[in-house]
Structures are given as C-alpha cells and as structure tokens.
Amino acid sequence: MDNTTHIRVRGLNVHYRNEHVLKDITLDIPDRRITAIIGPSGCGKTTLLKSFNRLIDSVEGVRLSGQVLVDDEDILAAGTEVTRVRKKMGLLLQKPYPLPMSIYDNVAYGPRIHGIRDRKRLDGIVERFLKKASLWDEVRERLGQPASMLSLGQQQRLCLARGLAVEPEIILGDEPTSALDPRSSQRIEQTFTELKRDYTIVIVTHILRQARRMADHVVFLYLGELIEQGPAWDFFNHPKQPMTREYIKGLIS
C-alpha cells in the first residue's frame, strides 16, 4: 500500500444556522487505509463524514467554508457536479436499508441505473460484489428472495455490496456496526479490513475498541475541533495532546 492522501480537508467550517459545528478543520485521509473518526456524541463526527460526499447539503440552514479536496478536486467549489462526487463514495448508515426487492436486484440496482442491461454481465457483477462484501456464500442459492428476509448483519453487508456495485473509490461508514450483534459487527470489521486493499475507508465510531482493532489512521474531534490525528498505533500508544490521553483513558466523554 502507498502513503498517498485521498481526501484533504483545509480550513473546513460548518454552521447549522447559528451553531458552529465544525471549526477550522484541516486533516488528511490516507488512500487505501481505514480512517476512524472518533469523539463523543455531538462533536461533529457525522457532519465531517457527510461533508465528504456533500450529503451535508441536505441539512436546512447549513453553511460551509473551506475546502474538501477529493482526488485534488475541491468538491465544495461552486459548479461541482454533486452526483459525480457521490458516485465515488459508497455510504453505510447505522441501520441497513435494503431496497424492497430481491437480494439480486439490490446489487444490480446501481449498474442498471448506469445502463447495464445484459443479464450475464449483471450476474457477474452481483456475484463479484457479494463476494467482496463477504455475503456470496450465504445467499448464492436464494438470490431471488426478498432482501428483507436477511438478518440485520446480512442486510448491512448487502447494502455494502450494493454500494460497491457502482464502483466507488471511497467507502464511508456512519457507525456501520452500531445496530448489529457482536458476531455481525465482527464480520463487517473483517470485510472492511479486506476491502482496504482496494478502497479508502472512513468510518465514524464511538467505540474505542473498534477503532483500535480496525483503524490505520485516527481523527479525534471534540466539540467541533480537531484535537489530534495520526497513525493509529502512535495515536493510541503515544498521544500528543493531553485531551487525547484523557479521552483514551475514559476520563472525558
């Protein structure tokens, strides 16, 4: 793996009406690594994540300044084609939301929207991305069944496969295991660890143990400010900031 930067944030400020949610954030997200954004509830983790794919635009009264550079393109610049930006990024939410259709059609949905109609080609796409999401062996004999029949953990991996099928560069996860049982959470973590060979992965998590297990890079936010960022081993073993040390020890929340 190389050490290049995939997402650069420079002087990002986000206001919701009169509330200053993110305060002059500058950081780098490395390519083909797992970056964990950590911090207590309400510190701006999800706001930062949603700024990467412009979902922040849907929040009423939001104002942004600064830069978010993806592949050296400022996606906050006027005239940016937001649909193209979002196509680069798959998004997993806290709770899985499979489409009300079959397992097969969930994965084929995006490719069909982008004009792929050939059945054999779709078959290959569905198999490929179900395998990438570590779900193929569990569903290969029942692809025509409704996705709603899957367990929550399987539904989350199906949503991951659906996102991967439009061939993004980046996977974003907003506490993607918080609604899952421990076994299903472990499967998602293992899948992410395998996927980082091909994708940049950014997850929001409030679980320090999960960040320790998964992350190659850590971003620590507190009350909208960037306190510390860096390689995970250094972050957890040799934190530079007193507030980081206190948070890791559970002394602040």
Side-chain angles (χ1 to χ4, degrees), residues 167-193:
E167 302 195 32
E169 301 174 4
I170 298 163
I171 302 168
L172 306 177
D174 187 6
E175 301 199 27
T177 65
S178 63
L180 307 182
D181 62 83
R183 187 177 182 87
S184 296
S185 296
Q186 185 180 40
R187 292 297 301 272
I188 290 288
E189 290 181 12
Q190 290 172 343
T191 301
F192 277 164
T193 300

Side-chain angles (χ1 to χ4, degrees), residues 97-233:
Y97 290 98
L99 300 172
M101 52 184 67
S102 71
I103 296 167
Y104 181 102
D105 288 336
N106 263 268
V107 184
Y109 183 81
R112 282 174 172 149
I113 285 178
H114 290 97
I116 298 175
R117 294 286 184 270
D118 180 75
R119 180 70 186 203
K120 284 188 177 180
R121 189 175 173 193
L122 287 171
D123 287 350
I125 289 170
V126 169
E127 179 176 348
R128 177 186 173 195
F129 290 107
L130 285 173
K131 284 180 175 177
K132 276 187 173 287
S134 303
L135 188 58
W136 173 252
D137 290 340
E138 297 168 46
V139 302
R140 60 189 301 173
E141 302 299 331
R142 49 185 179 132
L143 295 175
Q145 291 184 0
S148 58
M149 295 182 67
L150 297 174
S151 70
L152 268 182
Q154 290 172 328
Q155 287 181 23
Q156 189 69 302
R157 281 181 282 145
L158 178 63
C159 290
L160 176 59
R162 188 179 72 211
L164 295 177
V166 296
E167 302 195 32
E169 301 174 4
I170 298 163
I171 302 168
L172 306 177
D174 187 6
E175 301 199 27
T177 65
S178 63
L180 307 182
D181 62 83
R183 187 177 182 87
S184 296
S185 296
Q186 185 180 40
R187 292 297 301 272
I188 290 288
E189 290 181 12
Q190 290 172 343
T191 301
F192 277 164
T193 300
E194 294 166 4
L195 288 172
K196 74 178 181 181
R197 291 174 294 187
D198 301 311
Y199 303 90
T200 296
I201 300 174
V202 188
I203 65 162
V204 163
T205 180
H206 66 279
I207 306 170
L208 278 176
R209 294 187 308 279
Q210 184 174 68
R212 284 180 183 271
R213 286 193 299 268
M214 293 179 61
D216 303 295
H217 191 82
V218 179
V219 172
F220 172 40
L221 300 180
Y222 192 83
L223 297 179
E225 296 183 357
L226 174 65
I227 305 302
E228 188 167 344
Q229 65 165 325
W233 194 90

Side-chain angles (χ1 to χ4, degrees), residues 64-125:
L64 295 90
S65 62
Q67 293 181 308
V68 175
L69 299 143
V70 180
D71 298 325
D72 295 322
E73 175 191 5
D74 182 7
I75 66 169
L76 300 184
T80 299
E81 187 183 346
V82 176
T83 302
R84 180 174 52 79
V85 169
R86 289 178 181 161
K87 188 177 183 296
K88 289 185 176 185
M89 308 198 192
L91 175 64
L92 275 187
L93 300 172
Q94 293 183 27
K95 184 179 178 183
Y97 290 98
L99 300 172
M101 52 184 67
S102 71
I103 296 167
Y104 181 102
D105 288 336
N106 263 268
V107 184
Y109 183 81
R112 282 174 172 149
I113 285 178
H114 290 97
I116 298 175
R117 294 286 184 270
D118 180 75
R119 180 70 186 203
K120 284 188 177 180
R121 189 175 173 193
L122 287 171
D123 287 350
I125 289 170

Side-chain angles (χ1 to χ4, degrees), residues 3-70:
N3 292 309
T4 58
T5 298
H6 203 156
I7 303 173
R8 292 179 173 86
V9 180
R10 297 292 181 265
L12 177 66
N13 286 274
V14 178
H15 291 80
Y16 294 155
R17 294 190 173 88
N18 296 322
E19 184 181 1
H20 197 176
V21 181
L22 289 180
K23 304 168 184 176
D24 199 30
I25 303 295
T26 292
L27 55 82
D28 294 331
I29 302 293
D31 185 30
R32 282 176 289 168
R33 299 287 199 279
I34 297 176
T35 294
I37 303 173
I38 67 172
S41 297
C43 70
K45 302 187 298 295
T46 295
T47 296
L48 179 60
L49 191 78
K50 288 184 176 179
S51 72
F52 295 161
N53 66 355
R54 293 282 299 268
L55 273 181
I56 196 74
D57 295 13
S58 62
V59 178
E60 187 176 350
V62 71
R63 290 181 289 115
L64 295 90
S65 62
Q67 293 181 308
V68 175
L69 299 143
V70 180

